[in-house]
Amino acid sequence: MPAVMADPLTLPRLPRLPEEGTGWRRVAKVVTAKRHVEGEGFQVRRPFPGIDLSLADPFLLLDHMGAVEYAPGEAKGTPWHPHRGFETVTYIIDGAFQHQDTTGGGGLIADGATQWMTAASGIQHIEQPPPDLVAKGGLFHGVQLWVNLPRSQKWVPPRYQDIKARDVRLLAADDGSSLVRIIAGSLAGFDGPGVTYTPINYLHATVAPGGRLTLPWPREFNALVYVLSGRGTAGVEEAPVEEGQLAIFGGSHHQGSEDGLVVRAAAEQPQASANGWEILVLGGLPIREPIARYGPFVMNTREEIVQAFEDFQAGRMGTIPAEAIPHRSSEDEPLTP
């Protein structure tokens, strides 16, 4: 797993949270991701939607892609498609993906890099494995997270952030045994590189086998832990969670100074997790607004969804670059509008 590895003993450490006086969040629910087929035919595991989205607010969707060892010719992506009303965040742990959008954003996302696309008022994009991965095959592992935008920001101009692996903020657990990568948000005064409209934390942690990781957590944020590989427990009650499962923490009822999350890696891990238990830790400030969703559009009302389709069909969500349009011979039937 090349996604930004480092020796935790050389990194700044998270503070040790007091056992007494910390509002330890308890796990409210554990969800097993369901399998879906996306794009041109690649399989994903999706823990949400499929649950009450208020439990994940401000997040809308999480797709876990891989880990998979592609044979030559097997790797697939997505065709050009539109989005409006939210942000897509694609984090590539192993392998690579190419992104291109109608604002000119894009590039190669590989081995610990993140592309953060704010669709907002409307955009089209395409995501494809690079030709080398298609031709030769290889390991691929990544996740895509959809982050909702509040009503007041659904109409801001689209933007693109290219977050290199070297930009991610690295921290160690309080005992120096585990590695925490901050992609976006803030943890114990340390900030990640992702610029967000909606206040969130997005972390990737490698918890040493048998290790315990505690994280200070904003009281007003939801909290989710998704297992990328390996097994462990979440919460002070030690609810078991393994690869493809999501632990949803309940809200805070503590009167003390701060909240905390605790997870523990199993001492014995499968071979794929020999370096440690791999988890995503997500949370954010709930938006608590009505959600109208259809396909690639997420708005507040049905009327806004209808408008999104009309705007897309009228060409108001960007123009696909000419070089991306397939060649057609003069003998082909004419293109329909």
Side-chain angles (χ1 to χ4, degrees):
M1 178 171 289
V4 197
M5 298 302 292
D7 181 357
L9 295 176
T10 67
L11 299 172
R13 296 193 185 186
L14 291 165
R16 185 178 298 275
L17 301 182
E19 297 301 320
E20 301 295 329
T22 298
W24 297 107
R25 298 277 191 98
R26 297 183 69 85
V27 173
K29 191 173 187 178
V30 173
V31 174
T32 300
K34 296 182 178 179
R35 294 184 182 270
H36 297 262
V37 175
E38 281 297 306
E40 296 171 335
F42 61 91
Q43 191 174 93
V44 301
R45 284 177 283 185
R46 183 175 294 165
F48 62 88
I51 60 171
D52 179 354
L53 271 181
S54 67
L55 299 173
D57 189 6
F59 307 119
L60 298 162
L61 173 146
L62 180 65
D63 275 353
H64 182 193
M65 305 173 286
V68 58
E69 187 76 35
Y70 283 124
E74 280 188 345
K76 296 178 174 64
T78 68
W80 283 94
H81 59 282
H83 288 300
R84 171 179 282 179
F86 63 101
E87 302 179 283
T88 68
V89 184
T90 305
Y91 173 47
I92 301 301
I93 299 166
D94 287 289
F97 231 29
Q98 291 181 152
H99 168 93
Q100 185 181 13
D101 65 46
T102 49
T103 69
L108 187 69
I109 324 159
D111 296 344
T114 302
Q115 68 99 4
W116 199 298
M117 188 187 78
T118 303
S121 59
I123 198 171
Q124 294 185 64
H125 76 151
I126 186 171
E127 297 163 301
Q128 297 284 335
D132 189 60
L133 180 61
V134 175
K136 298 180 181 178
L139 181 62
F140 180 78
H141 192 195
V143 289
Q144 185 170 97
L145 178 70
W146 289 14
V147 185
N148 200 9
L149 291 169
R151 177 186 284 112
S152 62
Q153 292 168 333
K154 286 186 181 295
W155 297 97
V156 299
R159 72 181 182 192
Y160 178 84
Q161 299 177 67
D162 182 11
I163 302 172
K164 303 295 187 185
R166 64 176 178 269
D167 300 329
V168 173
R169 190 67 165 97
L170 302 180
L171 302 173
D174 57 26
D175 63 1
S177 66
S178 303
L179 173 64
V180 178
R181 308 162 187 83
I182 309 177
I183 297 169
S186 182
L187 193 65
F190 297 96
D191 298 330
V195 178
T196 73
Y197 282 106
T198 306
I200 68 168
N201 281 344
Y202 187 13
L203 320 174
H204 172 197
T206 303
V207 187
R212 182 174 183 261
L213 174 64
T214 62
L215 303 170
W217 205 250
R219 180 156 300 169
E220 65 275 18
F221 277 22
N222 282 342
L224 312 167
V225 168
Y226 179 76
V227 182
L228 295 166
S229 69
R231 53 180 175 261
T233 65
V236 289
E237 69 274 42
E238 298 192 340
V241 280
E242 60 184 33
E243 181 175 333
Q245 290 189 312
L246 175 78
I248 303 167
F249 288 81
S252 175
H253 302 287
H254 183 62
Q255 300 302 314
S257 59
E258 64 180 347
D259 282 357
L261 306 181
V262 57
V263 295
R264 187 186 297 274
E268 298 292 330
Q269 295 288 340
Q271 183 60 38
S273 300
N275 291 328
W277 186 38
E278 301 291 346
I279 59 173
L280 295 181
V281 186
L282 311 170
L285 185 66
I287 295 173
R288 297 192 178 96
E289 291 179 353
I291 293 176
R293 176 177 177 176
Y294 194 89
F297 307 128
V298 182
M299 304 301 290
N300 296 111
T301 66
R302 182 182 180 277
E303 291 72 21
E304 288 172 331
I305 294 294
V306 172
Q307 181 184 352
F309 274 100
E310 291 175 349
D311 287 347
F312 169 59
Q313 291 167 352
R316 290 191 283 268
M317 290 190 187
T319 301
I320 294 174
E323 62 269 21
I325 298 174
H327 171 73
R328 296 176 64 87
S329 72
S330 60
E331 296 176 357
D332 288 334
E333 293 295 323
L335 291 168
T336 55

